[in-house]
Amino acid sequence: MLSDPTSRCVTPWKMSLIKIFSAIFTGVSPTIPPPSPAAIPTVYDAPVPVLEIQSIFLDVFPSEKVEFSCSIAGSSDWTFTWSRDRQEVQESDPNVSLFAEGSMLKLTAATQTYSGSYNCKGHHKTKNVTTAASNSLGLTVNAYTPKPTLSRTSNFNKMYPGESITFTCVVHGSSGWEYMWYHDGNLIQGKHSTYFIRSIDHSNSGQYHCKATRGKADFYTDKSPTTMLQVSDPPKPSLRLLTPWTNVFENETVGFSCDIDSSDWRITWYQDQEQVLEDYVLVLDMEDSLLNITEMTEEYQGIYACRAQLESRRVISEFSNTINISVYENLPKPTVTVTPGINPMYVGEIVNFTCNVDVASGWTYQWYKDGELLPQSSKTKSITLNLSAVGMYGCSATRGEVTSTEISEEIQQDVIEIPVPSLKATEHWLDVFPGESVQLSCLMDKESDWIYTWYKDGKMIQANNAIYLGLNGPTLTIKSASAAHAGRYTCKGDLKDRPVSSRFSSGCNLTVYDSNPTVTLNQDPDYKVMFFGESVSYSCHIDISSGWEYLWYKDEVELNISENKHMIASVGTANQGSYKCQARRGTNQSPFFATSRTKQLEVQENKPKPSITQQPDVDKVYVGESVSMNCKVQVSSGWEYMWYKDGTQVSTNSSRLSIDAAYLTNSGTYTCMARRNKNTFNTAVSDGRILRISEIPTPSIKLLTQWMDVFPTESVKLHCGMSDISEWTYIWNKDGQKVQASNAVSFDSDATTLSIQSASSFHRGKYSCSGKLKSRSVTSGLSSVLLLHVHGSKPRVTLIQEPGHDVMHTGDSVSFGCHINISTGWEYLWYKDDNQLVESGNNYTITSLLTKDSGSYKCQTKRGMSTVFYSDQSQTARLNVEERPKADIILMTGWSEAFSTDSLVLSCSVPESQFSWNWNYTWFKEDDIIDVPSSEKYTVTPQNDPDQSMYTCKGIRHGRPSYSKISEQFKTKNLLLKRRVLLSISGCIFFGIILVFLGCIILRVVRKPAEQEYKPEEAELFVRMDQIKGLDDEPCPLFQFITDAELNSSSKDNPAEGEENALADGETTPLPISSQDDLAETTESHGASENGGLVSFKQ
């Protein structure tokens, strides 16, 4: 009986049966029917929250604050989440703040990424209920902070006190602004967009700018551009007199100009503080601000001024400066004065005539000589007198075009020639020696008022201790002549008290020798040492002047010789001694003496023997080297030399035997002998000197570094050497040019090694070397040539990636090749993200990529040991390694289909991949490929899977990635058999229920109740909730079979597999099964006390 409370699984059985029938006949999840037709549950729709802006503006700028509120009317049991453009707003964002359980969202619009459509959702605190999304509000974040524009009503560069001005500040494209005004950086009053100054004064001068603010959080714009307000007093006009004079004569013209620094001003003229009106004489030019008085009379004399008015702005300047104009009645007569007042005057003197008018100024003067107009028109006329300047002089004056005076009284001027002085010498000669005296005289023919000036070589002579001048200078006496007194003497005369100078006299040349005359004693032949039998003669000479007498001395004893020559025919030891001579002239009272130098005569008895020296003084001389031998007699002089080689005379008479370029044939023994040609005296023969000539060795060149082709900045070393290396230093050549040491090129001590610290293309070329003896100028021939090639740039290192895909996936293999196609000896360096790797070859291979292999790869080469040369790094190869997508198996067959099919449909897909299209799929059963056409779905039937098999799949496609990871294993676990058993049981239950219903109906019809008062309780077809509460928690067997504890346990043990085998897929209709605990919880949460005994199964 269904209502029997003793049945342990009545209620679960009934409810499960109802669900099964619903699945069979409707294909959707069934709902448990209400326990009674009269108790219908009430289902409410979740309310929709309302989104409002609290901060006024939805069009905001960077860093501006925005505040939203989300609310549900009539309830506070809600928490809220927020979305922007359907993406959830994260509270971890530092620019986002949530308050009041998420109902208030405050954010700082830091960048434009905060632009978007915002909405919110409510979540009930106690019920698992989420509302629909609220209304949306679009927030726009502008890219830049706004900058207001500042304009002004008056754009004049200068404003004047009393004028008004209005500034306007505008932020375009937005609203709600309050404005702040700044004057010279200081905040001033005013919150409106305009700032008005009614009456400007000087304190208003300065820089003006504005800013705007809005919102509760006081968001500020950038400051506007600055505008300058310059307040100046109106300019003061400047009155200028255009004509030359303020004192004028009648009928002269007077002109004024009133100047102001702008053309916008209108000029008003004043005479004696009364405004001037234009008439036929007084002409006003308003455009050029001019006032002209064309014919001056006394009526127009007075004080003139002007004033300016800016009519467009009603500004009036102050008065200008004033100019006083006066008018003379009569014309004056000029007077002439002359300076100096002497008549006659000498030619060359200057006379100055001055014409003067005592009245007014601005006169122009005309001069007259003998009634004829002279060309000069200045007030003073200066005349350098000559004989033609004799005459009568007068002047007149003019001013302007209308005023002229009469001619002054005339003055007579006479002119005579200046006399020339005469210069004479009192002595008989004009060439003197130091210490002698000289006297010269200078005289004029007329007058005695002359003062004489003396000149030597054009320079004036002043009296001193050596020079004496007579009174007024007519004579010049040199008491003791010296070389400084030599020169050409002239004289001239100057009149006392007048600037008159005569011409120079004729010249007189005075020669004063620097020193006393030199007496020369000559010896012929001039040998310091003489030998027995040789002859010698002496002569005494003096080259200056004449009248000389000669005296001879030997060893300070005077000889009885009066001529200037002394002869010794054959010298002996008695003639040995010191000889000198003396010259004399003049009177006995003051004779003049000059003495020669002493000559020493030495006489020897034995013949001398010459000696040979060699230069260079070495045992071995190289071919081509210059060598010389000197033969010298150490005693006396005047020798001629004879040379001998191996006993044969060599044709030379010089003491020096030179071999400019030695040959091997020049080797031999050399001797010499000397003689004097003047007296045919020969010396003994010298000792022999052996000369050895050898060939010059050739140096060898070799490369010390390993490579003949190098790169910029690489170092190079070359070596040059000879067998006898210690005596040589070396010279290096490149392409025939000498190599000099520099910052890049250096040599060791003897230049045996050439080092290039940092090679460049300049060092490319053919290198050779030659040796040079340290002690002599001997240079060897060039060595063999060594070609050094320096590349124009560092080697290019090329990094090649194979395969060259931009994006790789885990499991792929990639290989990098580092290539350099120049030179040899390279080592390879590898870098990942600028960190050096341990790889050293020219290839770097990663056989199975991982995501950690992502990064930037590059390589570099190096070579060298002591000095390492590095190439530039290669280009960077960016390797992006992404996780290979993994295939996923989904069971497509739902529980509701258990009664209509006996097969399972599995679906393979590659989810969550940007490459989720164009996949073909391969299916595997127990890791073996299933031979079926590539398809996304695979159907499992009892025929093809009688056992419980493990299935996997893999995605394959054209393009990259070309395949996916193999999916997790999916086990059928005899699901088909269980579905068949479930279908059979369901059929039996269905027909059993039909039979029960029919039996109950028949029994009710055929059976009569016994008595009215006795009515047994009718069996309830559906169990009540209070009955369900009384049941124990033991599950029924049918419930256990349907829910399949084995499946549940496998899902718990393998969560990933449980997710794959989930029946609640978007394309399936799973069979919902509730446990007793779920029913109990539903019963407890929706009891009869809450809803009148009815239960709502809507969550």
Side-chain angles (χ1 to χ4, degrees):
M1 188 171 180
L2 293 176
S3 58
D4 189 357
T6 62
S7 178
R8 293 165 49 195
C9 57
V10 170
T11 300
W13 179 82
K14 287 183 179 181
M15 297 180 69
S16 300
L17 188 62
I18 292 171
K19 291 182 181 181
I20 294 172
F21 287 153
S22 299
I24 293 173
F25 295 106
T26 64
V28 297
S29 299
T31 304
I32 299 176
S36 174
I40 301 175
T42 302
V43 179
Y44 296 96
D45 292 329
V48 177
V50 177
L51 175 62
E52 295 178 323
I53 180 72
Q54 299 296 318
S55 56
I56 305 174
F57 307 108
L58 288 171
D59 186 2
V60 298
F61 299 93
S63 77
E64 193 168 2
K65 307 294 184 182
V66 182
E67 184 175 345
F68 295 102
S69 67
C70 187
S71 61
I72 295 178
S75 176
S76 61
D77 297 333
W78 299 88
T79 61
F80 298 90
T81 58
W82 295 82
S83 298
R84 176 177 65 245
D85 293 334
R86 299 183 180 180
Q87 299 292 325
E88 184 175 352
V89 176
Q90 300 298 327
E91 190 174 4
S92 60
D93 189 336
N95 294 311
V96 173
S97 299
L98 296 176
F99 301 94
E101 297 182 328
S103 64
M104 298 294 293
L105 170 63
K106 294 183 180 180
L107 59 87
T108 300
T111 62
Q112 286 185 295
T113 58
Y114 293 92
S115 296
S117 177
Y118 286 78
N119 57 34
C120 61
K121 289 183 180 180
H123 307 278
H124 201 276
K125 296 180 181 178
T126 59
K127 301 176 182 179
N128 188 21
V129 176
T130 299
T131 70
S134 70
N135 58 302
S136 297
L137 292 178
L139 179 65
T140 301
V141 181
N142 292 282
Y144 304 102
T145 302
K147 185 176 184 177
T149 58
L150 179 62
S151 59
R152 50 190 280 187
T153 55
S154 299
N155 288 319
F156 302 112
N157 291 333
K158 294 181 181 179
M159 300 290 290
Y160 300 107
E163 291 189 284
S164 63
I165 190 171
T166 301
F167 298 97
T168 302
C169 187
V170 177
V171 179
H172 295 286
S174 56
S175 60
W177 299 98
E178 289 186 0
Y179 295 88
M180 296 179 291
W181 292 92
Y182 295 86
H183 175 213
D184 289 336
N186 298 316
L187 183 66
I188 55 179
Q189 292 183 351
K191 293 186 177 180
H192 300 290
S193 61
T194 59
Y195 181 69
F196 177 65
I197 303 175
R198 185 178 304 277
S199 180
I200 294 173
D201 58 25
H202 288 286
S203 63
N204 299 122
S205 291
Q207 301 278 352
Y208 286 82
H209 72 271
C210 64
K211 291 200 308 189
T213 182
R214 72 176 186 181
K216 300 177 181 179
D218 290 334
F219 171 75
Y220 295 94
T221 67
D222 291 338
K223 73 174 185 178
S224 70
T226 300
T227 183
M228 178 67 186
L229 177 60
Q230 182 177 353
V231 181
S232 304
D233 289 325
K236 180 179 179 180
S238 174
L239 181 61
R240 289 188 299 116
L241 183 65
L242 299 179
T243 50
W245 317 287
T246 57
N247 300 323
V248 298
F249 296 93
E250 290 189 352
N251 299 324
E252 285 188 315
T253 299
V254 176
F256 299 96
S257 173
C258 189
D259 299 331
I260 197 165
D261 59 0
S262 175
S263 60
D264 298 334
W265 295 85
R266 180 177 175 275
I267 304 302
T268 306
W269 295 91
Y270 295 88
Q271 178 191 356
D272 295 332
Q273 297 185 352
E274 293 184 3
Q275 186 171 349
V276 173
L277 301 178
E278 188 173 14
D279 58 24
Y280 71 97
V281 174
L282 197 147
V283 180
L284 300 178
D285 186 345
M286 303 304 294
E287 181 177 354
D288 294 330
S289 303
L290 302 177
L291 170 62
N292 292 314
I293 305 173
T294 56
E295 294 181 3
M296 195 67 187
T297 62
E298 290 186 3
E299 176 185 354
Y300 296 105
Q301 75 175 2
I303 298 174
Y304 286 82
C306 65
R307 199 174 188 184
Q309 180 177 358
L310 192 61
E311 294 182 342
S312 61
R313 295 164 62 182
R314 298 181 181 179
V315 177
I316 300 176
S317 73
E318 60 179 303
F319 280 103
S320 69
N321 55 302
T322 60
I323 297 177
N324 188 11
I325 302 297
S326 60
V327 180
Y328 294 105
E329 296 182 3
N330 301 317
L331 290 175
K333 181 177 180 179
T335 58
V336 176
T337 57
V338 61
T339 304
I342 301 172
N343 197 30
M345 299 184 72
Y346 289 103
V347 171
E349 284 191 277
I350 297 174
V351 62
N352 295 314
F353 295 98
T354 303
C355 188
N356 187 47
V357 178
D358 296 334
V359 178
S361 60
W363 296 100
T364 300
Y365 298 90
Q366 293 81 36
W367 289 93
Y368 300 88
K369 176 178 174 289
D370 298 331
E372 295 183 1
L373 181 64
L374 298 177
Q376 187 174 353
S377 60
S378 62
K379 180 176 182 179
T380 300
K381 183 172 181 63
S382 295
I383 301 174
T384 301
L385 296 175
N386 53 33
L387 296 177
S388 63
V390 176
M392 301 290 292
Y393 290 85
C395 70
S396 65
T398 60
R399 191 169 81 158
E401 297 179 356
V402 297
T403 305
S404 297
T405 68
E406 59 180 313
I407 297 176
S408 68
E409 299 292 338
E410 294 182 325
I411 296 178
Q412 174 67 36
Q413 182 64 55
D414 296 320
V415 182
I416 59 175
E417 289 282 2
I418 301 174
V420 178
S422 175
L423 176 61
K424 295 179 181 181
T426 58
E427 290 85 3
H428 299 292
W429 59 85
L430 289 174
D431 56 337
V432 295
F433 295 99
E436 289 188 272
S437 63
V438 180
Q439 188 177 60
L440 304 175
S441 64
C442 186
L443 297 175
M444 288 278 194
D445 294 338
K446 299 179 180 180
E447 300 185 16
S448 59
D449 292 336
W450 293 91
I451 297 175
Y452 298 93
T453 306
W454 291 85
Y455 294 85
K456 181 174 77 70
D457 298 329
K459 295 183 179 179
M460 189 170 66
I461 298 173
Q462 301 290 341
N464 54 36
N465 294 333
I467 297 177
Y468 172 75
L469 299 178
L471 182 63
N472 294 330
T475 59
L476 180 146
T477 302
I478 301 174
K479 299 177 181 178
S480 178
S482 65
H485 298 122
R488 184 175 179 81
Y489 285 81
T490 57
C491 66
K492 62 182 291 189
D494 295 285
L495 271 179
K496 294 180 181 179
D497 303 324
R498 288 169 60 184
V500 176
S501 297
S502 71
R503 289 181 295 168
F504 282 97
S505 66
S506 57
C508 179
N509 292 322
L510 177 65
T511 301
V512 180
Y513 301 105
D514 293 336
S515 60
N516 289 331
T518 300
V519 178
T520 303
L521 176 62
N522 294 323
Q523 176 183 336
D524 185 25
D526 190 16
Y527 306 142
K528 293 183 179 179
V529 177
M530 308 245 352
F531 299 93
F532 267 51
E534 290 187 285
S535 62
V536 65
S537 67
Y538 294 95
S539 62
C540 191
H541 298 280
I542 186 167
D543 298 330
I544 299 174
S545 197
S546 59
W548 300 101
E549 295 178 1
Y550 297 92
L551 305 174
W552 289 91
Y553 298 88
K554 175 182 178 291
D555 296 331
E556 301 299 330
V557 176
E558 185 177 354
L559 300 177
N560 189 19
I561 301 172
S562 59
E563 296 179 358
N564 64 335
K565 289 186 178 182
H566 174 48
M567 180 71 180
I568 302 174
S570 179
V571 298
T573 55
N575 300 116
Q576 184 171 275
S578 298
Y579 291 83
K580 69 177 180 179
C581 69
Q582 191 177 66
R584 180 181 66 181
R585 78 169 182 178
T587 62
N588 293 329
Q589 289 77 18
S590 56
F592 179 79
F593 291 94
T595 304
S596 71
R597 293 183 178 181
T598 299
K599 281 189 175 290
Q600 184 72 33
L601 179 61
E602 181 181 351
V603 180
Q604 291 187 2
E605 295 181 9
N606 299 324
K607 282 188 175 184
K609 182 178 181 180
S611 61
I612 296 177
T613 58
Q614 179 182 317
Q615 184 64 32
D617 188 12
V618 293
D619 293 335
K620 181 169 58 175
V621 177
Y622 291 102
V623 171
E625 189 175 3
S626 297
V627 62
S628 64
M629 295 184 184
N630 286 323
C631 183
K632 187 174 182 181
V633 178
Q634 301 296 330
V635 180
S636 192
S637 60
W639 301 102
E640 292 181 358
Y641 296 88
M642 294 170 289
W643 287 90
Y644 302 88
K645 174 180 177 289
D646 298 329
T648 303
Q649 185 173 357
V650 179
S651 58
T652 181
N653 293 325
S654 173
S655 64
R656 182 182 181 89
L657 176 63
S658 297
I659 303 174
D660 294 332
Y663 293 95
L664 295 175
T665 56
N666 295 125
S667 297
T669 301
Y670 289 81
T671 59
C672 70
M673 185 175 65
R675 73 179 177 185
R676 288 173 172 167
N677 283 337
K678 292 184 178 181
N679 49 26
T680 64
F681 178 79
N682 294 332
T683 68
V685 178
S686 71
D687 296 330
R689 176 81 182 198
I690 299 175
L691 178 63
R692 296 181 179 87
I693 308 297
S694 303
E695 292 284 356
I696 303 175
T698 301
S700 62
I701 186 172
K702 63 180 179 179
L703 181 68
L704 297 181
T705 50
Q706 298 177 345
W707 306 280
M708 283 303 299
D709 58 331
V710 296
F711 298 91
T713 72
E714 197 167 6
S715 62
V716 179
K717 283 190 176 182
L718 305 177
H719 179 269
C720 186
M722 288 187 182
S723 58
D724 197 5
I725 192 170
S726 61
E727 297 181 359
W728 294 88
T729 183
Y730 297 92
I731 301 170
W732 290 86
N733 295 277
K734 180 176 76 71
D735 298 332
Q737 301 295 323
K738 184 177 179 181
V739 179
Q740 301 289 346
S742 64
N743 292 334
V745 178
S746 63
F747 305 98
D748 60 5
S749 59
D750 292 333
T752 55
T753 302
L754 182 149
S755 299
I756 302 174
Q757 283 77 19
S758 179
S760 67
S761 58
F762 173 77
H763 301 115
R764 182 190 304 127
K766 297 178 180 179
Y767 284 81
S768 61
C769 64
S770 61
K772 184 180 182 302
L773 277 177
K774 297 178 181 178
S775 59
R776 288 136 56 193
S777 58
V778 176
T779 303
S780 73
L782 292 173
S783 68
S784 58
V785 173
L786 198 62
L787 178 61
L788 177 65
H789 179 67
V790 181
H791 297 280
S793 60
K794 283 190 175 183
R796 181 182 179 185
V797 181
T798 304
L799 180 62
I800 299 176
Q801 176 185 337
E802 182 62 34
H805 303 308
D806 294 335
V807 178
M808 304 290 288
H809 295 83
T810 53
D812 285 345
S813 174
V814 67
S815 178
F816 295 98
C818 191
H819 298 279
I820 181 168
N821 57 1
I822 299 177
S823 196
T824 58
W826 299 106
E827 295 181 21
Y828 295 85
L829 307 175
W830 289 91
Y831 300 89
K832 174 180 179 288
D833 298 330
D834 294 326
N835 296 316
Q836 187 172 348
L837 303 174
V838 295
E839 295 293 327
S840 59
N842 66 330
N843 288 313
Y844 176 51
T845 302
I846 305 174
T847 56
S848 180
L849 287 171
L850 302 174
T851 54
K852 68 180 182 179
D853 294 319
S854 295
S856 298
Y857 290 81
K858 54 188 174 182
C859 66
Q860 187 181 25
T861 62
K862 71 173 184 177
R863 70 179 184 183
M865 298 296 291
S866 59
T867 302
V868 181
F869 170 76
Y870 290 89
S871 70
D872 291 336
Q873 291 184 339
S874 69
Q875 81 280 10
T876 300
R878 177 65 189 177
L879 181 63
N880 294 321
V881 182
E882 296 182 355
E883 191 71 37
R884 186 177 298 279
K886 184 176 182 181
D888 191 12
I889 294 181
I890 301 174
L891 177 63
M892 301 298 294
T893 304
W895 285 107
S896 61
E897 301 176 38
F899 303 98
S900 61
T901 181
D902 61 350
S903 61
L904 294 177
V905 178
L906 304 180
S907 175
C908 186
S909 63
V910 182
E912 298 180 0
S913 171
Q914 56 177 324
F915 310 104
S916 59
W917 61 88
N918 296 331
W919 288 97
N920 296 319
Y921 298 93
T922 301
W923 291 88
F924 300 86
K925 178 181 178 182
E926 301 294 343
D927 297 330
D928 295 329
I929 296 178
I930 302 175
D931 187 14
V932 295
S934 178
S935 173
E936 181 182 357
K937 297 179 180 180
Y938 178 71
T939 303
V940 180
T941 64
Q943 291 77 19
N944 61 19
D945 188 18
D947 301 323
Q948 297 182 2
S949 302
M950 303 296 292
Y951 287 87
T952 55
C953 67
K954 181 172 71 173
I956 301 174
R957 62 188 290 271
H958 295 291
R960 303 196 69 260
S962 60
Y963 65 93
S964 71
K965 290 183 180 179
I966 295 178
S967 68
E968 298 291 339
Q969 293 180 336
F970 185 90
K971 189 172 184 181
T972 56
K973 297 183 180 178
N974 210 14
L975 286 175
L976 292 176
L977 177 61
K978 292 186 178 182
R979 286 173 179 260
R980 286 187 176 184
V981 172
L982 178 62
L983 183 62
S984 300
I985 294 174
S986 300
C988 295
I989 294 173
F990 175 73
F991 287 110
I993 292 173
I994 295 298
L995 292 176
V996 170
F997 271 104
L998 292 176
C1000 290
I1001 294 171
I1002 294 172
L1003 183 62
R1004 190 172 181 84
V1005 171
V1006 299
R1007 185 179 179 182
K1008 301 292 184 178
E1011 291 181 358
Q1012 188 69 27
E1013 65 275 3
Y1014 174 70
K1015 294 182 178 180
E1017 183 181 356
E1018 295 183 356
E1020 294 182 0
L1021 181 61
F1022 298 99
V1023 66
R1024 296 193 309 273
M1025 283 311 215
D1026 55 352
Q1027 294 174 334
I1028 294 176
K1029 291 181 179 180
L1031 298 178
D1032 58 16
D1033 293 336
E1034 183 179 353
C1036 74
L1038 180 62
F1039 180 83
Q1040 284 182 324
F1041 178 81
I1042 294 175
T1043 56
D1044 195 349
E1046 182 182 356
L1047 290 176
N1048 291 336
S1049 64
S1050 64
S1051 298
K1052 293 178 181 179
D1053 296 337
N1054 190 352
E1057 183 178 348
E1059 291 177 0
E1060 293 176 355
N1061 297 339
L1063 298 178
D1065 187 84
E1067 299 179 0
T1068 62
T1069 305
L1071 182 62
I1073 300 175
S1074 301
S1075 65
Q1076 289 180 334
D1077 294 338
D1078 293 337
L1079 293 175
E1081 290 177 3
T1082 303
T1083 303
E1084 290 174 1
S1085 60
H1086 300 282
S1089 61
E1090 295 180 1
N1091 200 14
L1094 300 178
V1095 177
S1096 173
F1097 292 92
K1098 184 175 181 180
Q1099 297 298 321

